[in-house]
Amino acid sequence: MWRDLALGLLVTAAFFGLLEAGARLVAPDPGPSPGKRQIFFINDNDRDRDFVVERDPDLGYRLKRTGAADTFVDSNNRAYARRKPENTFRIICLGGSTTYGTGVENSDWSYPALLEDIFRTALEGCGRRVEVINAGMMGYHSWHSRIRAQTELDALSPDLYLVMDGVNDIASLSGVESVADLERERGLLTNLIGTGPAKPGPLARLAGLLSRSALYRLAREQVARLRGKKDYADLLRAFGYRDNLAALIRGRQDKGIATVVVNYPWSVRENLDAAANLRRYPPAWDVSPETVDLYRFGRRGIAGANRQVAKATGVPLIDPQPLLDAMIERDGYYSLYADPVHFTKRGNLLLAREIYQRLVGLPPLAAFVASCRLPDLYAIDSQPLFHFLATWGDRYRGQDCQHGPAAGKIAALENVAPGREPVEGLTPLAPVDTGAGPGRIRLDLARPLEGAGEELLLYPRLCGLDDKVTIWALGDDGSRREVFSLQKTYPDGLWMPFCSRYGLSAAAAAGATHLEVELGGHTQLYAADGNVLFREKRQER
């Protein structure tokens, strides 16, 4: 019996040995990646709109260092003393471009800058200060955060780190094919911070052993080819997001520094397939189905890793995802996201508010502010800056809405409804169902238009390339002629400023007593007292 068993094992081993030899001919070990490392430099950035970057031997690139030797200038271009002042609680925010503030035109509107502004308002007159240093950088991921904390940022004596990573870890997976390659390169990166590679668990050790087999690699490639998609879960594990987050937290705990994990709120819906998500996204974003699938995995994979690491290390987890999901359903994407990844100023404010509400109840910050009487969040929201940003999605004021008397009355609306609230005395009108075609507004003019150089004013707002406003002059014989048209030619994905004024030439519509306005896509047109066309305001003499 034992002899038969041994013979069977020998034959089986010989069989798989022959298969392995054949697989090595078909799929040889690729060896280390030539040239630059895939993990570390996959998100190279050469420049940014506001700050110049420079090469860094450890981080790949970084913001060019500015300021005096005793000063740290953060990503918001705010300067902080390297030696923490007395009566100061110092927070450092780690992450990529969503922390840095890409998506807004002013660095003061990143979420770390707004969080510091909220604390400054809440602690006014208390004799205590909370500093919020923005250490986010475009393209940075969990490796950057782990390395920067240990080699650079701990020296600033932070009391707490806020970590919102994962987006660029996920984005990096689109440019990587080999799990084995990533596993090799992780060892190179851990050497940068003076530590050996983290000891793998049993499953990781088994995966490492199997990855040495050409037969195993070939089988995985065939399975992936049959599935038609990359195995993102394996790639993310090999990339090291979960290990980096855990190592960052435990390294800070050893130094008595608190850490709070912030779950990045994705714009994509995990429970919808790529096609359904694309139908919800603004057309101007121009996102591919493959990217949507990657983001869907990111929402699930990063949130799951965050929960596991937070539970294992005992640190708080702040999850703004439910709030942003609800706000998208209520207000749409445009007021919260500047593109599929980055936030608008309103999105950043909602993120900062959510974090503030959680932080003030968590040790050690709760102990630091215990002697202060903090105002409620409604009182903070009433401050001009926060009120302006909180209502930005509906009330971004580009200029004063100055106009004269109305030129005509709205006679009928088709597939058009007014918004809930007037803004500066104007009510937004927009299509009810964009899938049913354009909205239409029928106008009866107070008197026939004349062609003496007069212009009538209108206040449209457009965002995507499908947004369009067209005005037709209607003849008594049923004829229609186009007298005005406005449509974006560049897909910037941003709403036009509120109160952007445009003129309709009276000469183009001379003789008309009825007009029809078509609103395509998500176009808004602002009305006052049942009017959408106005005459110029006469200057007082």
Side-chain angles (χ1 to χ4, degrees), residues 110 123 144 154 165 169 227-228 275 287 327 342 387 401 447:
S110 68
L123 298 175
H144 294 94
D154 284 353
D165 262 326
D169 293 62
R227 291 174 59 192
V287 189
M327 296 303 288
H342 304 104
H387 180 70
C401 305
R447 57 181 171 82

Side-chain angles (χ1 to χ4, degrees), residues 73-131:
V73 179
D74 79 345
S75 296
N76 289 328
N77 207 25
R78 295 183 178 184
Y80 299 87
R82 290 189 176 272
R83 176 174 291 185
K84 185 174 61 179
E86 293 184 4
N87 295 322
T88 298
F89 190 94
R90 178 167 281 178
I91 299 172
I92 295 181
C93 299
L94 291 170
S97 55
T98 53
T99 298
Y100 173 82
T102 299
V104 294
E105 62 270 34
N106 190 318
S107 61
D108 287 336
W109 292 333
S110 68
Y111 102 75
L114 291 169
L115 181 60
E116 183 175 77
D117 292 340
I118 292 173
F119 274 113
R120 183 184 302 114
T121 301
L123 298 175
E124 186 175 4
C126 180
R128 295 192 167 241
R129 179 186 180 192
V130 173
E131 293 180 340

Side-chain angles (χ1 to χ4, degrees), residues 167-168 170-175 228-230 232 264 266-270 272-275 277-278 281 285-300 339-342:
V167 177
N168 288 322
I170 293 298
S172 296
L173 302 185
S174 64
K229 297 179 181 179
K230 293 182 181 179
Y232 288 131
Y264 165 75
W266 299 79
S267 65
V268 73
R269 287 293 186 273
E270 184 189 348
L272 300 178
D273 62 17
N277 271 292
L278 287 172
Y281 271 174
W285 286 359
D286 192 25
V287 189
S288 71
E290 294 76 19
T291 299
V292 172
D293 275 337
L294 180 62
Y295 291 166
R296 288 175 64 231
F297 165 76
R299 172 167 172 159
R300 178 177 66 255
D339 57 43
V341 173
H342 304 104

Side-chain angles (χ1 to χ4, degrees), residues 364-395:
L365 186 55
F368 178 78
V369 300
S371 61
C372 303
R373 186 173 182 178
L374 300 181
D376 60 38
L377 205 53
Y378 294 103
I380 295 175
D381 285 344
S382 68
Q383 299 298 311
L385 170 66
F386 305 121
H387 180 70
F388 164 74
L389 293 176
T391 58
W392 177 82
D394 298 320
R395 306 185 183 190

Side-chain angles (χ1 to χ4, degrees), residues 301-479:
I302 295 300
N306 288 341
R307 286 192 298 269
Q308 292 174 10
V309 173
K311 182 178 180 180
T313 57
V315 302
L317 172 65
I318 299 176
D319 187 8
Q321 187 74 66
L323 171 65
L324 270 291
D325 283 348
M327 296 303 288
I328 288 173
E329 294 302 322
R330 196 192 78 172
D331 298 336
Y333 282 106
Y334 285 126
S335 70
L336 303 171
Y337 290 88
D339 57 43
V341 173
H342 304 104
F343 306 111
T344 63
K345 59 192 75 172
R346 183 171 181 238
N348 279 325
L349 179 63
L350 291 176
L351 185 60
R353 290 171 80 259
E354 188 82 350
I355 293 171
Y356 168 81
Q357 292 182 83
R358 287 290 308 279
L359 287 184
V360 293
L362 296 175
L365 186 55
F368 178 78
V369 300
S371 61
C372 303
R373 186 173 182 178
L374 300 181
D376 60 38
L377 205 53
Y378 294 103
I380 295 175
D381 285 344
S382 68
Q383 299 298 311
L385 170 66
F386 305 121
H387 180 70
F388 164 74
L389 293 176
T391 58
W392 177 82
D394 298 320
R395 306 185 183 190
Y396 177 62
R397 180 171 178 158
Q399 53 185 298
D400 290 336
C401 305
Q402 297 293 328
H403 56 79
K409 285 283 186 182
I410 295 176
L413 298 176
E414 179 184 338
N415 192 30
V416 171
R420 298 186 188 93
E421 297 181 52
V423 182
E424 302 288 339
L426 299 177
T427 299
L429 303 177
V432 177
D433 182 1
T434 58
R440 289 184 170 84
I441 305 171
R442 171 75 179 251
L443 301 177
D444 291 339
L445 302 182
R447 57 181 171 82
L449 296 177
E450 300 174 0
E454 182 183 19
E455 274 197 334
L456 302 181
L457 301 179
L458 61 153
Y459 298 103
R461 289 187 75 201
L462 294 80
C463 183
L465 292 180
D466 290 342
D467 295 359
K468 183 178 181 180
V469 56
T470 309
I471 301 179
W472 305 84
L474 307 180
D476 293 335
D477 58 355
S479 62

